[in-house]
Amino acid sequence: MTATADESMSQASTRSRVAAPDEGIGLDELALAARNHGMPLEAMRYDLTPAGLHYLLVHYDIPGIDAISWRLHVDGMVANPLSLSLDEIRARPPVTIPVTIECAGNGRARLNPRPVSQPWLVEAVGTAAWTGIPLAQLLRAAGLDESGVEVVFTGADHGVERGVEQDYQRALPLAEALREDALLAYEMNGQPLPVQHGFPLRLVIPGWYGMAQVKWLERITVQGEAFDGFQNSVAYRVKAEAEEPGEPVTRIRPRALMIPPGHPDFMSRARFVTVGTHDLVGRAWSGLAPVTKVEFSADAGVTWQDAKLEPPLGRWAWCRWSAQWTVTEPGRYELLARATDASGAVQPVEQPWNLQGMANNMTQRVTVIAFSPPIMTSRS
Ligand SMILES: Nc1nc2c(c(=O)[nH]1)N[C@H]1C(S)=C(S)[C@@H](COP(=O)(O)O)O[C@H]1N2
Ligand SMILES: [Mo]
């Protein structure tokens, strides 16, 4: 390990930090990137992302859970605390909802200076059909005290983050937990939850960034005050300085992504297209309000044209968009796409920088090189 990686690991253990101007990606960030994979952008051709192509993020280790002895506990401000087996949960009437989930750290590695953490570019997203039971029904079956304030979800995984030992825990306001589309999911795309995606049970709270979708659920606790655990009060905050409390990260900001057109160079990922007309296809989503517009630019954002937008599989699934791009001259082009939603939120072209690299929905930029056919002639 290099001195830089050593230094960065000791510093990163207790506080968030940004990379020094000349600091490359260290072995610590590479270790995270190798464990936690993104969705290959060409997988946006599918309405539902095949489970193996869905992005993955695990803070600690994937816990080993014995499905036979596993129980879900529902406690706190409930009249009748529950302890349920997987069979008891599966015996209740199931609901299936297609939901696009995106990591709040998506776009982090594009920020300058770069917050040191999971170094996503833009690919930390996926859409799956989640099957499970409505969370609200279970809370009410447990005799929910409706004067509760927050609901804390505890996973079976355990680790240390910036010096704080913890189970992975996140809380939601009670009103969000009682939404009819908040699910306790045990299937992904019609199959039992894959181990890495939270087997046997996970929370799916549509519209929220990924950190709220607690995997490997073991306990649901209703409490009378705001939860002050690490993931809510320290980690997922938008802030400029380490000392300030910042704003909580909640709903997914609008984003459009395109499937990079043409063919890639293996090592550099540079893209090659032939001169002519190309169909550009992508997806767009927002957890704030439905997507109303996707625009596309072939001149690095100087001029924009409206893309064609198709209705999504459901309110919480991404929309497919398409546009035609005609390139007549060989050369280098920068392609951009950006989304606007019904709340009026539009993706920024400039980076919305913050210390921990949260919710960076800056417009995607795809550089392509146009050739007259054939693309390449030599081989070696
Ligand atoms: N128990 C537990 N739940 C978790 C996490 C985790 O590390 N532990 N990671 C969260 C984060 S940050 C994200 S982005 C999503 C990722 O979900 P996926 O891996 O199924 O795509 O899970 C969330 N739920
Ligand atoms: Mo995440």
Side-chain angles (χ1 to χ4, degrees):
M1 188 182 294
T2 64
T4 318
D6 255 342
E7 285 161 25
S8 69
M9 284 185 88
S10 59
Q11 288 176 33
S13 63
T14 56
R15 56 192 295 260
S16 54
R17 69 182 195 89
V18 296
D22 58 350
E23 182 184 339
I25 298 270
L27 289 185
D28 47 358
E29 285 175 290
L30 275 183
L32 283 177
R35 289 181 58 80
N36 297 314
H37 65 78
M39 177 195 66
L41 294 184
E42 61 274 26
M44 287 190 290
R45 70 171 74 102
Y46 311 110
D47 287 338
L48 297 177
T49 314
L53 299 182
H54 193 281
Y55 90 96
L56 178 71
L57 192 107
V58 181
H59 281 226
Y60 314 128
D61 291 346
I62 296 169
I65 294 182
D66 168 27
I68 304 298
S69 58
W70 175 88
R71 291 288 180 280
L72 174 71
H73 303 277
V74 181
D75 59 13
M77 295 174 67
V78 293
N80 318 302
L82 301 175
S83 170
L84 300 168
S85 70
L86 188 54
D87 283 347
E88 286 169 318
I89 290 169
R90 295 181 69 113
R92 305 176 76 94
V95 177
T96 299
I97 314 181
V99 181
T100 297
I101 298 180
E102 180 179 18
C103 178
N106 201 15
R108 178 180 289 127
R110 294 277 190 203
L111 293 172
N112 184 15
R114 192 185 80 253
V116 174
S117 183
Q118 171 69 36
W120 298 121
L121 297 166
V122 293
E123 61 294 280
V125 65
T127 300
W130 301 98
T131 299
I133 60 169
L135 171 63
Q137 284 181 19
L138 202 66
L139 290 174
R140 294 214 162 97
L144 172 68
D145 177 343
E146 306 259 350
S147 69
V149 172
E150 293 211 332
V151 184
V152 183
F153 300 85
T154 304
D157 49 332
H158 190 88
V160 181
E161 216 162 320
R162 293 186 231 152
V164 181
E165 187 179 353
Q166 55 193 285
D167 294 331
Y168 188 88
Q169 285 187 310
R170 276 282 308 186
L172 284 176
L174 181 61
E176 287 293 307
L178 291 179
R179 280 169 45 193
E180 66 175 15
D181 47 19
L183 288 191
L184 299 173
Y186 49 77
E187 282 181 8
M188 179 184 192
N189 296 344
Q191 300 293 319
L193 271 188
V195 171
Q196 68 274 27
H197 291 293
F199 179 86
L201 194 71
R202 79 175 302 170
L203 175 64
V204 174
I205 176 75
W208 284 63
Y209 276 115
M211 74 284 155
Q213 328 278 338
V214 178
K215 304 192 277 191
W216 311 295
L217 259 185
E218 283 196 332
R219 189 170 297 276
I220 299 175
T221 308
V222 183
Q223 63 177 45
E225 65 279 346
F227 175 67
D228 65 355
F230 187 89
Q231 303 301 336
N232 278 79
S233 64
V234 181
Y236 289 94
R237 313 290 293 195
V238 175
K239 58 184 175 184
E241 303 285 342
E243 293 70 30
E244 60 169 302
E247 290 298 316
V249 176
T250 58
R251 298 273 187 144
I252 300 174
R253 291 178 180 172
R255 191 196 293 275
L257 290 178
M258 76 180 80
I259 298 178
H263 299 286
D265 172 63
F266 173 35
M267 293 300 291
S268 68
R269 305 311 295 173
R271 312 288 315 182
F272 301 101
V273 299
T274 51
V275 294
T277 296
H278 297 274
D279 289 321
L280 297 178
V281 171
R283 301 280 173 171
W285 61 92
S286 170
L288 302 171
V291 172
T292 51
K293 185 163 70 168
V294 172
E295 296 160 287
F296 154 73
S297 171
D299 54 14
V302 179
T303 59
W304 296 86
Q305 73 184 64
D306 281 359
K308 181 170 165 259
L309 201 54
E310 293 171 31
L313 283 183
R315 160 61 190 105
W316 302 111
W318 55 21
C319 305
R320 186 178 186 274
W321 64 264
S322 56
Q324 280 203 331
W325 173 44
T326 299
V327 51
T328 51
E329 293 294 323
R332 186 177 174 281
Y333 295 84
E334 200 170 24
L335 308 180
L336 276 61
R338 70 177 176 200
T340 301
D341 72 21
S343 77
V346 53
Q347 283 184 254
V349 173
E350 300 298 327
Q351 61 169 2
W353 192 87
N354 60 88
L355 179 63
Q356 303 191 104
M358 297 297 172
N360 172 21
N361 66 335
M362 178 173 69
T363 307
Q364 178 195 22
R365 290 172 182 268
V366 178
T367 300
V368 295
I369 297 156
F371 280 84
S372 294
I375 292 181
M376 295 267 156
T377 49
S378 65
R379 55 194 175 101
S380 60

